[in-house]
Amino acid sequence: AWKSERTHKPEVDFQQPMLKITLVADHEILQIAETELCGQCPSLNHVYAGTRYMDLTRVDVNKGSALEILSSHLNINPQEIAAIGDQPIDLSMLQFAGLPVAMGNAPDELKKVSRWVAPSNDDDGVAWTLEKISRGGA
């Protein structure tokens, strides 16, 4: 029977359905893992969550699908949602949101799908975005 709580004992926890696995390694090792996983596990979605992190989920599980479920549950139109991202893992979330915002330090793929590019994390980009929205800049 499936348990809802993790025991932190691999011999028990790995017998339960996994929602997400994060691999932490040097980028070169993650690239090897990516090649192997893509070829052998087509039902897995993989996305880099930084240079040393790769997240693995079911192919239809990502930040965008989570935001879609939440917005439906709360009866919020996607056009009323702002999302801020700075890593490739945020792409699906930005594509769903009506106001996608990329941080200045985000990769170009995020900037291309965003309406605004905020200052970087180090330059208070989230605060900049919230102030712009509160002044009616959306």
Side-chain angles (χ1 to χ4, degrees):
W2 185 80
K3 298 177 185 177
S4 63
E5 294 183 22
R6 298 288 180 208
T7 66
H8 303 289
K9 296 177 185 173
E11 65 274 9
V12 174
D13 288 340
F14 288 162
Q15 294 176 15
Q16 300 177 41
M18 292 290 179
L19 299 177
K20 176 179 145 181
I21 297 171
T22 299
L23 303 178
V24 181
D26 290 333
H27 189 70
E28 297 77 25
I29 294 172
L30 291 179
Q31 288 179 313
I32 294 168
E34 177 181 21
T35 300
E36 291 295 319
L37 289 167
C38 286
Q40 296 184 33
C41 304
S43 64
L44 283 180
N45 178 51
H46 70 281
V47 64
Y48 286 90
T51 57
R52 296 196 42 167
Y53 303 91
M54 182 190 302
D55 286 341
L56 306 171
T57 61
R58 222 174 56 192
V59 73
D60 60 341
V61 175
N62 56 56
K63 288 186 176 188
S65 64
L67 190 56
E68 182 176 6
I69 290 167
L70 180 62
S71 69
S72 176
H73 177 73
L74 297 174
N75 199 28
I76 299 172
N77 185 311
Q79 293 305 312
E80 299 175 281
I81 297 173
I84 306 169
D86 69 345
Q87 293 295 324
I89 195 170
D90 299 322
L91 181 61
S92 61
M93 175 182 66
L94 294 179
Q95 290 171 325
F96 180 79
L99 177 57
V101 181
M103 300 298 286
N105 54 291
D108 288 340
E109 66 182 317
L110 270 65
K111 292 176 181 177
K112 288 178 185 174
V113 302
S114 294
R115 188 180 315 165
W116 301 338
V117 175
S120 73
N121 291 346
D122 293 334
D123 294 319
D124 301 324
V126 172
W128 176 91
T129 302
L130 296 175
E131 286 177 9
K132 187 167 181 165
I133 290 171
S134 69
R135 286 187 300 231

